[in-house]
């Protein structure tokens, strides 16, 4: 397949509108790399520059060591799957999948072999004679993927391919695309705004915000070691809770004081927070790291009032108020507090994060930046 390298890739539109700023990413051969971030962060523009659908303003794009900046899209050996399927409504499934090969004047028997092999992989054998209007959304998306497979490209590009599907189909197609990657052992680049898709599908995640790459890494690494407050809040469902605390020294220990409660950081965290004594920082704790206690804990207890709850069967999301901030705790399904009731929560201090109030950089972890 192919190794993709983005070296200082920048995109500026007419009017000096910055879309992507100095992106550096290396996508190894056979990796499944997911670009994730909110709308307008530059992820789709980056994908389109890789495909050749957008000109590159600055930097270099390399595929297998060859500079591709000025190479036409048709000569990059890349296949792209779009959000809206882009199928020809008057053609059958078979002809939609074969169309690109026919344009390249591929031999008929080779076209037939490739189309039928792709249809077998995607479970489309019984639909080859149907028109797109006779297919479900998930089936149409599989046809779009099949059209990419038959080209045997070096790289597969996916531009938010599941956003038009309902929730159940999205889960199914996530699994199918991941399985396809395992079978084809292909280099795949996938763009989404859905961090659940990123976490469950990618072997590498590129988190983008405000036209820049915020962090690159394996899904679980980003979850456990976010470089800044944005990444911490974007990766994870429900998202991480944040509120301000003041760092102080009490009894020879560094503590984080919120006003209504205070917590004692771990020894390693205290060492990093000493420089912040007398200052405010962001305190971040994931819902799953807020533990419900029947009785107040001896240390690090948070007595908070319940403002809402969401019983989900396997777990219960309990919403509490801390000052003017609504915080969610992910609790066991047996936890069933009443609205307005005061309950006790204890954060797992080994997992909480502290971020600089101004720069929003992770204070207690030194994460090497390579992008």
């Amino acid at each position: 397949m192919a190794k993709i390298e983005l070296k200082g890739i920048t995109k500026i539109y007419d009017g000096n509108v910055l879309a992507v700023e100095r992106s550096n990413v290396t996508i190894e051969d056979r990796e499944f790399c997911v670009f994730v971030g909110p709308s307008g962060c530059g992820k789709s523009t980056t994908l389109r520059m890789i495909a050749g659908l957008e000109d590159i303003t600055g930097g270099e794009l390399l595929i297998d060591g060859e500079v591709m900046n000025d190479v036409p899209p048709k000569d990059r050996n890349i296949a792209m799957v779009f959000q809206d399927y882009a199928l020809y409504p008057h053609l059958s499934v078979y002809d939609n999948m074969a169309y690109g090969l026919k344009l390249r004047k591929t031999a008929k028997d080779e076209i037939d072999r490739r189309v039928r092999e792709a249809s077998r992989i995607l479970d489309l054998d019984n639909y080859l004679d149907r028109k797109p209007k006779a297919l479900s959304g998930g089936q149409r998306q599989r046809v779009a993927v099949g059209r990419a497979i038959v080209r045997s490209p070096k790289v597969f590009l996916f531009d938010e391919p599941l956003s038009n599907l309902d929730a159940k189909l999205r889960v199914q197609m996530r699994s199918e695309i991941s399985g396809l990657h395992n079978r084809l052992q292909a280099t795949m680049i996938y763009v989404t705004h859905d961090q659940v898709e990123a976490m469950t599908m990618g072997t590498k995640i590129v988190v983008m915000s405000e036209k820049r790459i915020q962090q690159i890494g394996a899904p679980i690494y980003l979850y456990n070691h976010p470089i800044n407050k944005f990444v911490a809040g974007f990766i994870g469902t429900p998202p991480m809770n944040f509120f301000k605390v003041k760092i102080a020294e009490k009894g020879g220990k560094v503590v984080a004081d919120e006003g209504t409660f205070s917590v004692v950081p771990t020894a390693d965290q205290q060492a990093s927070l000493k420089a912040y004594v007398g200052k405010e920082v962001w305190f971040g704790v994931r819902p799953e790291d807020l533990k419900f206690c029947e009785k107040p804990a001896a240390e690090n207890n948070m007595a908070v009032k319940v403002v809402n709850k969401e019983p989900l069967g396997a777990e219960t999301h309990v919403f509490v108020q801390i000052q003017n901030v609504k915080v969610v705790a992910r609790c066991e399904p047996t936890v069933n507090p009443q609205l307005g009731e005061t309950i006790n929560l204890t954060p797992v201090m080994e997992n909480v994060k502290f971020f600089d109030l101004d720069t929003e950089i992770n204070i207690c972890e030194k994460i090497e930046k390579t992008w």
Side-chain angles (χ1 to χ4, degrees), residues 79-96:
M80 192 162 180
V81 179
F82 296 93
Q83 176 180 345
D84 59 358
Y85 319 139
L87 301 178
Y88 295 105
H90 63 290
L91 297 181
S92 66
V93 168
Y94 183 101
D95 289 334
N96 263 286

Side-chain angles (χ1 to χ4, degrees), residues 171-190:
V171 173
Q172 178 186 336
M173 286 300 298
R174 282 206 312 258
S175 176
E176 290 188 12
I177 292 175
S178 295
L180 182 66
H181 174 254
N182 292 332
R183 286 195 297 273
L184 297 180
Q185 288 294 291
T187 303
M188 293 186 174
I189 305 174
Y190 189 103

Side-chain angles (χ1 to χ4, degrees), residues 2 24 29 40 55-56 70 80 82 102 122 140 151 153 163 171 181 194 208 240 251 286 299-301 318 348 365:
N24 294 287
D29 183 28
D55 293 332
I56 296 172
D70 300 318
M80 192 162 180
F82 296 93
K102 291 178 179 177
L122 296 167
R140 291 178 194 176
R151 290 184 52 195
S163 57
V171 173
H181 174 254
D194 186 337
M208 295 190 70
M240 183 178 280
R286 296 195 182 281
E299 189 175 69
N300 299 335
N301 185 70
V318 178
V348 180
E365 297 178 66

Side-chain angles (χ1 to χ4, degrees), residues 7 31 35 75 81-82 163 183 201 204 234-235 288 290 306 311 315 319 352:
K7 296 185 175 182
E31 263 193 327
F35 283 74
D75 297 326
V81 179
F82 296 93
S163 57
R183 286 195 297 273
M201 297 175 72
K204 173 185 285 181
F234 198 82
I235 300 295
E288 51 270 34
L290 282 173
V306 177
E315 62 188 26
F319 295 85
V352 304

